[in-house]
Amino acid sequence: MTPSSASTGRGRAQRGPGSAGRVAGRIPWVLVLPALLGMAFLVLPLAGLLIRAPWPTLLERLSEPQVLEALRLSLVTATLATLVCLLLGVPLAWLLARAAFPGRRLVRALITVPLVLPPVVGGVALLLVLGRRGLIGQWLDATFGVTLPFTTAGVVIAEAFVAMPFLVISVEGALRAADLRFEEAAATLGASRWIIFRRVTLPLVAPGIMAGAVLCWARALGEFGATITFAGNFPGQTQTMPLAVYLALETEPEAAIVLSLVLLAVSVIILASLRDRWTKSP
Amino acid sequence: MFRRLSRWAVTVPLALTLAVGLSGCGSGDSAAPAAAASPGGGDTTLTVFAAASLTGTFTELGKAFEATHPGTSVKFNFGSSATLAQQIVQGAPADVFAAASPATMKTVADASLASGPVTFVRNKLQIAVPADNPAKVDGLRDLADPKVKVALCAEQVPCGAAAVKALDAAGLKVTPVTLEQDVKATLTKVELGEVDAALVYKTDVLAAAGKVKGIDFPEADKAINDYPIAALSGAPAPEPAKQFVDLVLSPQGRDVLTKAGFEAP
């Protein structure tokens, strides 16, 4: 958070100098208890992982080749999925925010469906379209000999499918909040539409894009249902961390805890380090 | 006044939805069947944790049990045996555990929660292929062909352990395209035609009759899975638990199970 926005925001809430500040700063106790309960509800399970973690053997378990492989695959696929989402999602968000076309509401609803769809359903849907016997998959297989399920590309597709709405929503929000006068000014100075988009619009909504990309990446990293359904589970090829956690739970709960801790640590570090940037909206 | 009213109009349904939603989650959650138990009036609920491969047969036996034991309702938690075993060890209130492998039963017995498990059926593996068998698979050897896409269960779950045993017995090296988390997921990949073959239980092939074709292979005899059942110590309903185990072991139980493709131990 920038110093200015932080001080104005907090100053009013907690230590405002005037009487108006004091009134606004009074804590309504009715809110505090549920808020604390809410916090405990979200944080306690994570604390449980920390408490139950087999600390003495942690390093040893972490250095197992299967774990490292799953972690590497998770990081690579989540990053690739985020790139795919950026390439396709930013233009899509621009279209939704700036272009008026019939059925825009419906389109917006449709592209946000993966947010609420059970991921397994997403995986089945992907199989039916991109699977070996799917609508498009059949053609891909027959023409190019390409099959997506059970490949690392399949993992990226499953993750991108589930994560893209996060990016689109946050970029669209940023675009709507951006001041159009800058773009108009650029247009009057003779800039082409593409130049305006690249030199004015993109920098203007960069924090929003960053926010979306981080959310998107984090969601892709945690993706389980669509991945296991569409891409399957094979070590080194399609077995990402969440899948490894699930299977470890079958026989070795301690290993599952270790894997979960790694995922947790990676997510928290990324989300915490980038928070400042993406809360600052234009 | 009016504003208040409208505020309540929003809050009350919201709260109700939340309450219903939460309780729905609770009873649906496998770890908390006790919440749904004893709806009152002396009715008892028998909670049976059973391997996913027993879904069809045990549901049928549960109905038969309810018919002969009025006032008792049977609730099932079907899933991967290993997951179920973990849930029981972690304190899930179960009365009966029917596992797809002695190893998963041992997990529960080692925590001294299961007394005297009995093997009640055995299950054999079969090769499942899509109905049109696109890769023309007709034996275990074909699965070693790198052009044939094979799905196996992960080694952590019983059907995967059995598959490894069978392939070892045949001296074959098979590289699957995926290691699925349970036998149903493995079969689904065959049903959808995404793989050319999979090693699953004979019972699952029978249950999916028409959609997949089953092929027997001799090495399956080397990888027979024993299914143990036990009434659990500390069961909330110990009497019905014993009676249910008896029903499964009875000729009537055997009949239902063999019809589904299980073999007598």
Side-chain angles (χ1 to χ4, degrees):
Chain A
M1 217 173 272
T2 57
S4 65
S5 74
S7 62
T8 50
R10 275 192 208 129
R12 212 180 298 148
Q14 284 172 3
R15 44 185 163 77
S19 62
R22 231 169 265 135
V23 170
R26 277 195 313 204
I27 301 168
W29 289 103
V30 176
L31 296 183
V32 173
L33 189 65
L36 287 179
L37 275 176
M39 196 176 79
F41 174 65
L42 292 175
V43 174
L44 268 182
L46 306 180
L49 274 177
L50 291 174
I51 293 164
R52 289 290 302 274
W55 295 106
T57 58
L58 197 70
L59 274 179
E60 196 183 311
R61 286 174 188 277
L62 279 180
S63 53
E64 275 173 34
Q66 268 224 344
V67 174
L68 294 178
E69 209 166 40
L71 181 62
R72 182 193 60 85
L73 191 71
S74 275
L75 296 176
V76 169
T77 53
T79 307
L80 287 175
T82 308
L83 287 178
V84 171
C85 290
L86 281 169
L87 279 176
L88 307 178
V90 172
L92 182 55
W94 187 88
L95 214 65
L96 282 179
R98 293 291 161 82
F101 57 90
R104 185 160 66 169
R105 282 183 161 195
L106 184 67
V107 171
R108 186 184 293 118
L110 284 176
I111 63 165
T112 43
V113 158
L115 275 184
V116 291
L117 203 66
V120 175
V121 176
V124 172
L126 284 173
L127 267 183
L128 295 180
V129 175
L130 296 172
R132 198 155 64 134
R133 298 202 174 166
L135 292 173
I136 299 171
Q138 213 167 20
W139 168 78
L140 281 177
D141 190 18
T143 323
F144 306 104
V146 174
T147 51
L148 292 167
F150 316 125
T151 61
T152 308
V155 178
V156 174
I157 290 175
E159 289 179 348
F161 176 77
V162 175
M164 183 128 61
F166 286 88
L167 182 93
V168 174
I169 286 178
S170 101
V171 176
E172 196 205 340
L175 280 167
R176 285 183 180 280
D179 198 335
L180 275 174
R181 281 174 301 179
F182 292 108
E183 294 174 26
E184 281 157 9
T188 52
L189 293 173
S192 74
R193 288 180 202 186
W194 174 237
I195 297 250
I196 294 177
F197 176 74
R198 229 168 32 123
R199 304 286 292 275
V200 181
T201 317
L202 269 190
L204 213 53
V205 297
I209 294 178
M210 198 62 198
V214 170
L215 276 179
C216 183
W217 189 83
R219 180 69 189 86
L221 193 70
E223 216 302 307
F224 171 78
T227 309
I228 202 164
T229 315
F230 178 63
N233 170 63
F234 193 76
Q237 195 100 38
T238 55
Q239 188 180 73
T240 54
M241 287 293 273
L243 274 57
V245 171
Y246 183 77
L247 275 166
L249 209 51
E250 300 276 309
T251 45
E252 251 194 298
E254 296 221 312
I257 295 174
V258 173
L259 296 177
S260 309
L261 272 183
V262 175
L263 264 189
L264 185 68
V266 172
S267 311
V268 169
I269 290 168
I270 294 294
L271 289 177
S273 64
L274 285 162
R275 221 193 115 71
D276 296 357
R277 285 172 127 181
W278 58 266
T279 44
K280 187 181 76 182
S281 55
Chain B
M1 178 65 208
F2 203 69
R3 238 171 86 195
R4 262 203 124 94
L5 198 71
S6 69
R7 199 180 298 157
W8 279 109
V10 174
T11 321
V12 171
L14 191 71
L16 277 175
T17 315
L18 275 176
V20 171
L22 285 175
S23 66
C25 286
S27 58
D29 193 301
S30 45
S38 59
D43 287 345
T44 40
T45 301
L46 176 69
T47 310
V48 178
F49 280 33
S53 43
L54 296 166
T55 306
T57 48
F58 268 43
T59 306
E60 192 179 335
L61 288 171
K63 287 206 186 99
F65 190 83
E66 281 174 354
T68 50
H69 296 74
T72 304
S73 61
V74 186
K75 291 225 178 325
F76 289 104
N77 179 18
F78 293 112
S80 138
S81 301
T83 308
L84 298 176
Q86 290 298 344
Q87 289 173 350
I88 294 169
V89 172
Q90 298 293 330
D95 296 301
V96 174
F97 180 37
S101 74
T104 46
M105 180 60 85
K106 193 170 172 291
T107 310
V108 175
D110 283 351
S112 43
L113 290 168
S115 44
V118 187
T119 300
F120 66 106
V121 279
R122 321 178 94 177
N123 211 349
K124 245 204 240 185
L125 289 179
Q126 249 190 350
I127 302 167
V129 296
D132 57 350
N133 195 359
K136 313 240 172 334
V137 172
D138 59 13
L140 199 59
R141 238 146 258 291
D142 295 330
L143 305 196
D145 182 344
K147 271 177 284 181
V148 177
K149 288 195 174 185
V150 181
L152 297 178
C153 297
E155 214 179 319
Q156 290 95 327
V157 295
C159 62
V164 168
K165 254 195 260 173
L167 291 169
D168 281 350
L172 283 175
K173 179 115 183 60
V174 170
T175 309
V177 291
T178 179
L179 295 163
E180 294 290 307
Q181 77 273 32
D182 62 49
V183 69
K184 296 285 180 203
T186 312
L187 193 66
T188 305
K189 297 276 166 19
V190 181
E191 275 179 40
L192 288 170
E194 293 301 331
V195 295
D196 301 313
L199 285 181
V200 295
Y201 294 125
K202 204 170 168 175
T203 49
D204 294 295
V205 175
L206 264 177
K211 286 178 274 183
V212 301
K213 213 171 78 177
I215 300 163
D216 281 313
F217 58 98
E219 290 83 358
D221 290 336
K222 303 257 170 53
I224 284 174
N225 252 16
D226 286 338
Y227 281 52
I229 188 168
L232 297 171
S233 342
E239 248 339 280
K242 277 199 200 86
Q243 290 163 355
F244 186 81
V245 173
D246 288 343
L247 170 69
V248 171
L249 297 171
S250 71
Q252 186 195 350
R254 161 100 40 255
D255 195 42
V256 170
L257 288 157
T258 46
K259 244 188 247 158
F262 286 104
E263 295 180 5

